[in-house]
Amino acid sequence: MCIRDRLKTNITLEQLDLMYNNIKSEHTEVISKMIKFSIMPIQLILSENRIGDEGVKNISEALKTNITLSVLCMNRNFISDEGAKSISEALKVNGTLTHMDLSSNKIKAEGGIAISEALKVNKALMILNLNCNLIGTEGVGKTEDTKGAEAIGETLKSNTTLIKLCIQFNRIGKKGINAICEALKINATSVSYTHLRAHETPEHLVCRLLLEKKKKKKK
């Protein structure tokens, strides 16, 4: 009996862990059908595979109708801006996913902008991990581009659902981190400063801006 058939009758399984299974884009059709028809546990771990943009496209389409999945981990899956755009479209309509891990992929500024657009309308996602991507860059030559971080910062000014954003090691620079910190000064319900540090940005800058936010909140 295959995994799909077992999950149809299983009412106790809460997590399906498929890490390190060399899952490629062509294998995601079956997974997507399981997601689409909500034949899926609460948590799906697809970390450390080779899903790529085409695979993410399949999964994202299925997420538009899923009503059970709350945690989806797709870190280290060779996802680029095109995959991020597919995820963005899914997040605009999905109302059950609360935790998504997209860390250690290849998402650049364009993908960051797409995800930020989704966060403007999504009312469910509470935790988003974008660590170790390339949101502060664009193009083949990885040219510096802060538009992705700035777009995320702009979105955080109005998003009241997200409570944890991980965006370390994205080359977003001072301008990008400033945009995010400024958003946190406006939005009192947003994320913790411990998840906003960028390794190329002086740590004291982030702490100073967010401490100002905390002081303002106390008044």
Side-chain angles (χ1 to χ4, degrees):
M1 183 181 289
C2 69
I3 293 174
R4 181 180 60 183
D5 293 332
R6 287 183 179 276
L7 288 174
K8 284 181 180 178
T9 56
N10 189 291
I11 59 173
T12 58
L13 186 67
E14 292 189 357
Q15 183 186 92
L16 178 60
D17 191 340
L18 297 175
M19 283 181 68
Y20 301 111
N21 273 286
N22 198 31
I23 297 171
K24 299 177 183 178
S25 60
E26 58 265 32
H27 303 139
T28 60
E29 291 185 10
V30 173
I31 295 173
S32 298
K33 287 179 181 178
M34 293 163 62
I35 295 173
K36 182 177 181 178
F37 297 108
S38 299
I39 308 170
M40 183 61 63
I42 297 171
Q43 302 179 33
L44 175 60
I45 314 299
L46 293 171
S47 309
E48 303 277 359
N49 283 292
R50 303 180 67 84
I51 292 172
D53 292 336
E54 281 301 311
V56 167
K57 184 177 180 180
N58 292 335
I59 291 171
S60 296
E61 280 299 312
L63 284 173
K64 293 178 180 179
T65 56
N66 180 274
I67 57 171
T68 58
L69 194 65
S70 64
V71 177
L72 177 59
C73 297
M74 295 192 290
N75 50 303
R76 294 184 183 276
N77 265 289
F78 302 92
I79 300 168
S80 71
D81 286 344
E82 290 306 308
K85 290 176 184 177
S86 298
I87 292 168
S88 171
E89 292 305 307
L91 288 177
K92 288 177 181 178
V93 295
N94 180 281
T96 58
L97 205 62
T98 61
H99 181 161
M100 177 174 281
D101 188 350
L102 296 172
S103 61
S104 299
N105 280 294
K106 299 179 179 180
I107 300 171
K108 297 182 181 179
E110 194 174 343
I113 292 170
I115 290 173
S116 70
E117 287 299 311
L119 293 178
K120 289 180 180 179
V121 296
N122 181 282
K123 303 299 181 184
L125 196 68
M126 299 173 68
I127 299 173
L128 176 60
N129 189 346
L130 293 172
N131 281 346
C132 302
N133 276 282
L134 297 164
I135 291 173
T137 63
E138 67 171 352
V140 178
K142 298 179 181 179
T143 305
E144 184 178 332
D145 187 346
T146 60
K147 291 187 182 69
E150 289 175 20
I152 291 173
E154 192 62 31
T155 297
L156 287 178
K157 290 179 181 179
S158 57
N159 181 294
T160 58
T161 308
L162 198 68
I163 59 172
K164 180 177 177 181
L165 172 65
C166 303
I167 196 168
Q168 293 175 298
F169 306 109
N170 267 283
R171 304 183 184 180
I172 62 177
K174 288 185 179 181
K175 191 174 180 181
I177 203 70
N178 262 312
I180 292 174
C181 289
E182 285 299 317
L184 295 182
K185 291 167 69 177
I186 294 171
N187 187 345
T189 63
S190 236
V191 294
S192 163
Y193 77 91
T194 57
H195 305 291
L196 283 168
R197 290 176 294 183
H199 70 292
E200 60 274 310
T201 303
E203 187 175 310
H204 71 268
L205 172 64
V206 181
C207 292
R208 175 175 59 79
L209 289 171
L210 292 170
L211 282 172
E212 287 178 11
K213 173 203 140 186
K214 290 178 185 293
K215 289 177 181 177
K216 183 177 179 180
K217 184 179 176 181
K218 289 179 180 179
K219 291 181 179 179

